[in-house]
Amino acid sequence: MPIVIKRILAWGFLAFLIYFMAFRPDGAAQLFRGIGVALMAIAQGLGDFLTGLMA
């Protein structure tokens, strides 16, 4: 993908993120909380996997 299209998409995503946080703060908080929970679950699963390898 050309770099110009990537920049346009990145700026568009950033603008949407700012708009979403400004006009729907509760929804944005739930979204980021969900992302955090998912990342923690992935980290916990990876840790359990590595612990299982060492046992």
Side-chain angles (χ1 to χ4, degrees):
M1 197 179 325
I3 193 159
V4 174
I5 294 174
K6 287 182 182 180
R7 283 189 180 173
I8 290 171
L9 290 175
W11 280 108
F13 177 73
L14 182 63
F16 174 75
L17 186 62
I18 291 170
Y19 174 82
F20 187 58
M21 289 173 32
F23 291 101
R24 300 237 183 213
D26 293 333
Q30 288 178 355
L31 175 69
F32 284 107
R33 191 176 302 121
I35 291 171
V37 167
L39 290 175
M40 289 300 295
I42 290 170
Q44 181 67 40
L46 181 61
D48 292 344
F49 171 73
L50 293 175
T51 301
L53 286 178
M54 298 298 173

